[in-house]
Amino acid sequence: MTSETNAENRRPIRSYVIRSGRLTDSQRKALDNYGPLYLIEFQPKLIPFASLFPNESKLVVEIGFGMGDSLLEMAKQNPDSNFIGIEVHQPGVGKLLHGIAEHNLNNLKIICHDAREVFEHCFENGSISTLQIFFPDPWHKKRHNKRRLIQTEFIEHIIEKLKPDAKIHLATDWQAYAEHMMEVMQGISRLENSNGENCYWAEPDRPGTKFEKRGQRLGHGVWDLLFSVR
Ligand SMILES: C[S@@+](CC[C@H](N)C(=O)[O-])C[C@H]1O[C@@H](n2cnc3c(N)ncnc32)[C@H](O)[C@@H]1O
């Protein structure tokens, strides 16, 4: 798979903008002190993820964990699973590193890089049990819709990296993006909607996220989607 490019200047179309938020002292220290322990350096080649954890457990991958609170909670609650978080936002990476070290977790590691490139190069086929993407940037404006992470080509590529029966869990607080997600996911024949055709997941089993709480303060709804690989 090649990343989509902007036809005029051949630059890849990114699903994110690097925000200029400053690192706090604690985030910077976490990057310096705990980065060598829990950060996996991106390289454009296969990474032997199983060998990076003490146990060969099921692998859960989250794209765009933001500040990482919900991913940290899931890793704490599920010591029998291994977690990889992929995020480009350095303050969030620093915050999550701090949390991993504070709770001495050995089942959560981070890659600070564009997930599309990570999926292009680093995962073996059939290696992931769950993929989760919670509240990806909605890119509201029509001319920006092409920057949305959930696109048929990307999901079809990701499916190759998932085990048979693996789950994909998506959530958004933007109705138009929820409908777009539903159309993309149901349009892929290897995926089955675990909640029945056109149905969202009413009571998802995940902790709340920072972005979700912000949306709720603004009066937004929440739509979760769960699909399994046939
Ligand atoms: C709207 S925020 C949601 C964060 C978090 N999931 C939450 O609910 O609080 C989306 C996050 O996805 C990250 N992101 C977007 N595209 C990405 C990509 N291609 N690779 C890695 N991270 C990405 C952004 O940096 C941002 O932190």
Side-chain angles (χ1 to χ4, degrees), residues 4-24:
E4 222 182 322
T5 52
N6 181 328
E8 285 146 39
N9 50 24
R10 312 309 301 167
R11 268 184 304 153
I13 296 169
R14 299 283 184 211
S15 58
Y16 56 88
V17 277
I18 298 286
R19 287 163 277 155
S20 55
R22 279 183 37 173
L23 285 167
T24 63

Side-chain angles (χ1 to χ4, degrees), residues 136-153:
D137 300 275
W139 295 109
H140 312 109
K141 291 183 183 156
K142 190 137 193 81
R143 69 174 194 280
H144 288 152
N145 284 179
K146 58 180 179 279
R147 300 185 69 160
R148 287 176 172 170
L149 203 48
I150 309 304
Q151 309 282 0
T152 302
E153 190 197 6

Side-chain angles (χ1 to χ4, degrees), residues 70-82:
S70 70
L71 181 55
L72 182 69
E73 202 48 45
M74 288 177 116
K76 278 162 53 185
Q77 286 173 10
N78 297 280
D80 294 336
S81 295
N82 292 329

Side-chain angles (χ1 to χ4, degrees), residues 97-157:
L97 282 171
H98 193 276
I100 298 173
E102 187 180 17
H103 296 280
N104 202 16
L105 296 183
N106 61 14
N107 64 333
L108 171 54
K109 306 244 185 264
I110 300 174
I111 304 180
C112 183
H113 196 80
D114 186 334
R116 291 208 272 215
E117 288 182 28
V118 176
F119 269 89
E120 196 172 332
H121 298 286
C122 304
F123 289 103
E124 272 182 49
N125 285 354
S127 60
I128 299 171
S129 294
T130 303
L131 172 77
Q132 50 196 42
I133 310 179
F134 300 147
F135 306 92
D137 300 275
W139 295 109
H140 312 109
K141 291 183 183 156
K142 190 137 193 81
R143 69 174 194 280
H144 288 152
N145 284 179
K146 58 180 179 279
R147 300 185 69 160
R148 287 176 172 170
L149 203 48
I150 309 304
Q151 309 282 0
T152 302
E153 190 197 6
F154 182 54
I155 298 294
E156 278 179 340
H157 176 68

